[in-house]
Amino acid sequence: MSEIKVPEMGESITEGTVSKWVVKEGDTVSQGDVLLELETDKVNLEISAEEDGVIESITRQEGETVQVGESVGVIGAGNGAPKAPPAPPAKEDKPAPPAPANEQAREPKTDLATAVAVSKPETGDTIATPAARKLARERGIDLTAVQGNDPIGRVKHDDVRKHDDKPTNLGAAPSKPAPPKAPAADSNPAKPADRVPMSRRRRTIANRLVEAQHNAAMLTTFNEVDMTAILDVRKRRKDKFKEKHDVGLGFMSFFTKAVVGALKAYPMVNAEIDGDDVIIKKYYDIGIAVSAKEGLVVPVVRDADRLGFAGIEKEIASLASKARNNSLALSELQGGTFTITNGGVFGSLLSTPILNAPQVGILGMHKIQVRPVAIDDVRMENRPMMYIALSYDHRIIDGSEAVSFLVKVKELLEDPETLLIEG
């Protein structure tokens, strides 16, 4: 017999949520079979069986929060075949006389009642899953009035939802008045709506974005880039580049190179605040924001200053593929020094990106828009233009430094040959 435990998932992750059980109690499993999916703040993980056997019990249900090292179930002994049912216990070697039929019938009920009594706190509090408690708080429901169907008396999320769907509570009034409850979004049949719980990752993203705005003196400065030269290079070189390196020549390699060049010129933008100290980093691990099904993730291109255009494009393509397949490792999401986010792929013309704490700078790319540009006092031309935005932490980056950084990025992009020299 072995316990199914939540594995270590990195220094910054101490808990997760049981997203989905792939197996159920009584299923036969072999070593390496996936048992459940665990959702964490950053990635989803699969927990596999460490030995052959039968799923003897599942102790933590879908939607429950679990800690690293916690047991979520038990695999019973077996060689990949279901184990035989246990023999009736005997107090001594010689057969004991059978118990009366009425006592045998009462035994399961007595055992269940004992289990409930042992597992239920003496304070009278209702046993409920975290998801059930959260929904009850949101809807102002007294958990003591909710009828559960769990064998050990635990109230689950669906029990609370079904209770709230009833026209009346069909029971005695609670001992203390429940707080007033706002109408649920899905309570009016004439105006249908779906109530969908936020995923753990979405909740984490929301909390961190708000935290970044609360903890940093965040400002944004803007500029625009004439993309004519880059589009010309891509047009002339993309076929040979693809043929030689087996990867497309996109815009991200140009922007990554330009950012690295600007960070070298303005190192405070590549820094981090640690208490009363500033850590100025002499390496360039560039985070590339990627939109995945579960929300935005920022995998990191390590040592971007040491990579050529092909190396950057291959690394970004690999990380983006892993992000969309939900197979990123934690190490691929940690430790970035600066972030680039591209809202232009969704059609955004202008935006103010939010810092990816503890970083103090983030560059926002946008849609390439052809528009008339004054070339000089006489000439006007239609040019492919892109607005770029730098959000920065004003606590350690002065406005002049931020503006100069963004101008440097603009200059490098408008003269892409310099990226080979200064990037």
Side-chain angles (χ1 to χ4, degrees):
M1 183 179 74
S2 67
E3 293 182 324
I4 306 168
K5 291 190 175 183
V6 178
E8 293 286 343
M9 298 176 289
E11 293 181 2
S12 62
I13 298 180
T14 59
E15 65 179 22
T17 299
V18 178
S19 174
K20 177 184 177 183
W21 275 100
V22 180
V23 297
K24 59 183 182 296
E25 292 183 356
D27 282 358
T28 301
V29 295
S30 301
Q31 184 179 11
D33 287 352
V34 175
L35 304 178
L36 71 150
E37 295 177 4
L38 194 68
E39 183 183 0
T40 73
D41 295 347
K42 296 183 177 180
V43 293
N44 286 11
L45 303 173
E46 293 180 341
I47 298 180
S48 303
E50 296 184 355
E51 62 178 39
D52 299 345
V54 177
I55 303 298
E56 190 171 281
S57 65
I58 292 175
T59 57
R60 303 306 297 266
Q61 305 302 317
E62 294 177 4
E64 292 192 42
T65 298
V66 293
Q67 306 294 319
V68 169
E70 182 177 346
S71 174
V72 297
V74 175
I75 298 179
N79 296 318
K83 64 177 183 179
K91 293 184 179 179
E92 52 188 45
D93 294 339
K94 60 183 180 179
N102 59 343
E103 290 186 18
Q104 291 180 4
R106 285 199 303 268
E107 280 180 2
K109 185 175 181 180
T110 303
D111 290 345
L112 179 59
T114 303
V116 173
V118 171
S119 60
K120 188 171 182 177
E122 295 181 0
T123 59
D125 291 343
T126 300
I127 306 170
T129 66
R133 291 188 183 278
K134 181 175 183 294
L135 183 60
R137 285 196 304 271
E138 291 174 350
R139 301 195 180 187
I141 297 173
D142 184 358
L143 280 173
T144 60
V146 179
Q147 195 76 23
N149 297 317
D150 190 82
I152 64 170
R154 177 172 49 187
V155 175
K156 298 182 180 179
H157 181 278
D158 284 348
D159 299 326
V160 178
R161 182 179 56 78
K162 290 176 183 177
H163 173 88
D164 197 39
D165 289 341
K166 295 178 182 178
T168 62
N169 284 345
L170 302 178
S175 56
K176 57 182 179 180
K181 180 180 67 173
D186 52 0
S187 61
N188 188 345
K191 297 184 177 181
D194 291 332
R195 181 185 294 273
V196 181
M198 292 173 68
S199 67
R200 168 176 285 274
R201 189 179 304 169
R202 175 56 61 186
R203 294 197 307 268
T204 300
I205 291 170
N207 291 337
R208 288 182 176 172
L209 292 179
V210 172
E211 185 179 315
Q213 290 184 305
H214 285 173
N215 294 338
M218 193 175 77
L219 293 178
T220 305
T221 184
F222 303 92
N223 213 314
E224 60 180 354
V225 177
D226 185 343
M227 298 290 289
T228 301
I230 289 179
L231 289 173
D232 179 61
V233 170
R234 291 184 70 240
K235 182 178 180 180
R236 289 186 289 108
R237 300 286 185 178
K238 65 179 183 179
D239 291 338
K240 288 184 178 180
F241 189 90
K242 174 75 172 178
E243 182 181 342
K244 181 176 181 180
H245 302 291
D246 197 29
V247 67
L249 178 60
F251 294 111
M252 291 307 300
S253 52
F254 289 93
F255 276 82
T256 302
K257 280 288 189 181
V259 160
V260 169
L263 289 174
K264 289 180 177 180
Y266 300 94
M268 197 61 73
V269 186
N270 202 46
E272 175 184 330
I273 298 175
D274 184 15
D276 293 332
D277 298 327
V278 176
I279 302 172
I280 303 173
K281 300 172 183 178
K282 302 298 182 67
Y283 57 95
Y284 305 92
D285 291 349
I286 307 300
I288 306 294
V290 177
S291 179
K293 182 180 178 181
E294 293 290 334
L296 193 71
V297 292
V298 188
V300 178
V301 177
R302 305 289 176 190
D303 298 317
D305 57 319
R306 302 179 185 178
L307 298 175
F309 280 76
I312 292 173
E313 292 291 355
K314 287 179 180 179
E315 187 67 10
I316 290 175
S318 173
L319 292 171
S321 176
K322 289 181 181 180
R324 296 185 181 105
N325 294 330
N326 202 28
S327 59
L328 282 168
L330 289 174
S331 59
E332 293 172 316
L333 293 165
Q334 297 173 331
T337 63
F338 186 91
T339 294
I340 302 174
T341 180
N342 186 5
V345 296
F346 304 108
S348 173
L349 189 61
L350 190 64
S351 67
T352 55
I354 299 177
L355 291 173
N356 182 20
Q359 298 169 22
V360 295
I362 180 171
L363 180 76
M365 300 168 55
H366 299 92
K367 178 183 178 181
I368 299 174
Q369 184 82 28
V370 176
R371 59 178 183 269
V373 175
I375 304 302
D376 52 36
D377 292 343
V378 179
R379 293 182 301 153
M380 294 281 292
E381 291 185 9
N382 287 338
R383 293 289 182 94
M385 304 298 292
M386 177 193 289
Y387 289 117
I388 55 175
L390 173 72
S391 291
Y392 61 98
D393 193 336
H394 204 3
R395 289 179 297 171
I396 64 170
I397 301 173
D398 294 330
S400 60
E401 190 172 22
V403 171
S404 299
F405 174 92
L406 202 57
V407 169
K408 183 67 173 179
V409 171
K410 168 186 169 68
E411 291 173 350
L412 291 170
L413 291 171
E414 290 183 342
D415 185 9
E417 291 180 3
T418 60
L419 295 176
L420 298 174
I421 303 170
E422 300 186 38

